[in-house]
Structure formats: structure tokens, C-alpha cells
Amino acid sequence: MNSTNNPFSIEGKTILITGASSGIGQGIAIACAQQGAKVLLLGRNLSRLEETLKLCENGQEHGFLSMDLQEGVIDTNDLPSFVKTHAPIHGFVHAAGISPTIPLKVMKKEQVLTAFQLNVFAALEILQILTKTGVKAPEGMSMVMISSVMSEAGEKGKSLYAMTKAALVAMVKSLALEYADKKIRFNTISPSVVNTPLSLKSEYRKDELAMKQVQDQHPLGLGEVEDVANAALYLLSDASRWVTGTNLIVDGGYLAR
Ligand SMILES: NC(=O)c1ccc[n+]([C@@H]2O[C@H](COP(=O)([O-])OP(=O)(O)OC[C@H]3O[C@@H](n4cnc5c(N)ncnc54)[C@H](OP(=O)(O)O)[C@@H]3O)[C@@H](O)[C@H]2O)c1
């Protein structure tokens, strides 16, 4: 089957990815490049972005831009001119994120704003740029936000993180309706624990019993970045052309309990 009759192909598409310097975002970038896409990598750490770029080599002219999404994306012209240079754009994945664990009694407003800025507002600003600046591919665009199972289920100390992730799930539903006639689809992916630098820093990893409990909550074991990347490939491809406003749960059975 060649790419013209394989609906799962993303060959020749151009995909913008935040968080491309590490973990899930890096895994998605590599998977997209392996499937023949051109990737536009966003992250903060320049040397790790360059590492991702190397791992994405596939003969396409990829692009990368180092920027701090805490600063506010729309304040400078860096991103609009970057996407215009590489247009048309077929897909966007917001994988940049932080996962604070903060009990309510010590939560500060600045921590709330910091988490919302990166996990939600940055995505919103990038979506505004992509939908406003005439960079959309004529055949449409697919926008994929990396949420979390915590948009659906609670954990102690994760109220702030869960709020940011649930905001993405809610956001894509209304945007799906707002942009359906422009052939722009919006979906979230909600992973449970995936082995990445972020999850390796989690408190439960330091305690054997707590780690065993987390493992027991996942009937199929903990996830790898490829498990989330494969879900993203589906949502970025034409195979999902009738899928919008949905939340794809990729969790090794965590929410099935
Ligand atoms: N790992 C899991 O178990 C898991 C489960 C569910 C959902 N998720 C979600 O998946 C996404 C990726 O997580 P991960 O595990 O891959 O984390 P990770 O390895 O820590 O990667 C996080 C990415 O976010 C970027 N980032 C952080 N702060 C930024 C800022 N201020 N400006 C721009 N970029 C920034 C980082 O860039 P630099 O490294 O360049 O600073 C990095 O590329 C997150 O949204 C997370 O909530 C993860």
C-alpha cells in the first residue's frame, strides 16, 4: 500500500510539535518523521532540540525554534513568522507541559498561573496563530492536545494539574464545533503514566511500595512514548478525518478499573 491509498499515512504533511526536546513530544516528533512527515520542533533547551532534529532526519527540511512558552507566545513575532516560513501546516501537537503536585493548603496563585500558562494558555495562543495567519493546509488541519487521565480521575495533590488537563479536554469540544466548517479538527490524548524524564521525577518512583501500587493500577503496565506517539499519528492522519472534539484515552487500562 503506498501513501496515496493508506489513510494512516502522514507522509509529506507538516506537523508543529511543542515539547519536542523531551519525552512524549520528542517521541511524537520522531514517529512523525519516521512516517515521512516534515516536523517543526518547539522546545526551550536548544541542544536537546538539536538532538531531536538529528533523530528526525528523513530527507525533509525540518525546522526548529527554541522558545519559552511561559513568556507568552503572541508577544513576539517569532512563532508567526516561523510557521509562515514553513506553511502549509497540516497538524499541531501540544505536548509541552508541567505536572505540579501541590496540596491545596500550600497552593499559591503564581503556581496556578504558571501551570495554566504552559499547559493551556500557550496551546490556545498557538492555536490562534495557526488558525489566523493563513498557514492552514488546503485539505485541513488536525490539532492534538496532550491531556492526561487526570482530566478524568483524581489523585492526591494533583488538583492543579488535573484542572489544566481537563481544560484542554473541554476546550477541544467547543473548538471542534467552531472550526468544523474550516476542516480543522481538535482532539485530546489522555495518557496515564508514561516512562519519560517528567514521570521519572515523580515522588512514587522514590518509594518501592508506592511504585508497585502505580504499576498495579496499570493492567498493561506503564506506557512508553511510542504508545502515545502511535495515538498521535492516528489523530494527525486522514484515518481520523471523522474524529473531532474527542478525548482518546491511552492508559494501559488505568481508567478501566
Ligand atoms: N509522562 C507521563 O506520564 C505523562 C502522562 C500524562 C500526560 N503527560 C503529559 O505529556 C506532556 C509531555 O510530558 P513528558 O512526560 O514528555 O514531559 P518531559 O519529558 O518533562 O517534557 C516536557 C516538555 O515540555 C517542555 N517545556 C517545559 N516547560 C516549557 C516552557 N516553559 N516553554 C517551552 N517548553 C517547555 C520541555 O522543554 P525543555 O525540556 O526544552 O525545557 C519538554 O520538551 C505533558 O503535557 C504532560 O502533562 C505525561
Side-chain angles (χ1 to χ4, degrees):
M1 194 182 272
N2 65 33
S3 60
T4 50
N5 59 17
N6 176 5
F8 291 90
S9 171
I10 60 160
E11 192 174 339
K13 290 188 191 278
T14 299
I15 315 290
L16 176 69
I17 302 153
T18 67
S21 48
S22 178
I24 291 173
Q26 184 187 52
I28 291 173
I30 294 168
C32 287
Q34 281 170 344
Q35 297 305 318
K38 165 174 162 167
V39 288
L40 306 178
L41 312 173
L42 294 188
R44 262 183 322 189
N45 184 304
L46 189 57
S47 63
R48 277 194 280 105
L49 267 183
E50 285 170 344
E51 232 170 77
T52 308
L53 192 66
K54 267 198 204 125
L55 296 167
C56 288
E57 272 170 20
N58 65 354
Q60 300 268 11
E61 300 258 325
H62 304 309
F64 70 102
L65 180 65
S66 161
M67 66 187 301
D68 188 340
L69 296 176
Q70 280 295 346
E71 304 289 320
V73 181
I74 281 172
D75 301 344
T76 74
N77 195 37
D78 294 355
L79 191 58
S81 67
F82 177 69
V83 292
K84 270 187 198 146
T85 307
H86 292 281
I89 311 287
H90 301 80
F92 167 54
V93 180
H94 184 55
I98 48 172
S99 179
T101 304
I102 311 173
L104 180 63
K105 62 184 176 197
V106 294
M107 197 181 294
K108 307 251 179 341
K109 189 177 174 190
E110 301 76 62
Q111 294 169 315
V112 175
L113 293 176
T114 298
F116 267 92
Q117 172 55 38
L118 180 63
N119 291 7
V120 184
F121 304 152
L124 203 61
E125 289 178 291
I126 295 172
L127 290 174
Q128 284 188 321
I129 291 170
L130 293 175
T131 50
K132 263 187 198 163
T133 42
V135 296
K136 178 174 83 69
E139 56 272 45
M141 270 200 279
S142 170
M143 314 297 206
V144 180
M145 310 296 122
I146 305 300
S147 177
S148 160
V149 286
M150 285 185 207
S151 63
E152 305 269 333
E155 286 288 348
K156 286 179 189 169
K158 300 305 280 188
S159 58
L160 172 55
Y161 180 63
M163 284 192 289
T164 66
K165 293 302 182 178
L168 295 174
V169 173
M171 178 183 82
V172 299
K173 291 181 188 166
S174 291
L175 292 180
L177 302 180
E178 223 169 296
Y179 283 90
D181 62 344
K182 299 192 169 59
K183 292 192 284 185
I184 309 180
R185 299 184 293 110
F186 295 82
N187 294 287
T188 46
I189 295 175
S190 283
S192 189
V193 178
V194 177
N195 291 316
T196 68
L198 180 141
S199 77
L200 290 173
K201 281 186 267 172
S202 302
E203 282 303 308
Y204 58 78
R205 300 263 183 183
K206 297 171 197 154
D207 173 344
E208 213 174 297
L209 186 64
M211 181 62 188
K212 165 97 175 59
Q213 276 168 354
V214 171
Q215 276 165 334
D216 289 347
Q217 288 170 332
H218 295 80
L220 295 180
L222 303 188
E224 301 298 335
V225 291
E226 293 78 10
D227 298 314
V228 182
N230 289 337
L233 288 177
Y234 164 67
L235 288 175
L236 292 167
S237 76
D238 297 343
S240 61
R241 68 183 185 186
W242 206 46
V243 178
T244 195
T246 197
N247 181 23
L248 178 51
I249 290 164
V250 181
D251 70 348
Y254 177 88
L255 289 177
R257 290 167 302 134

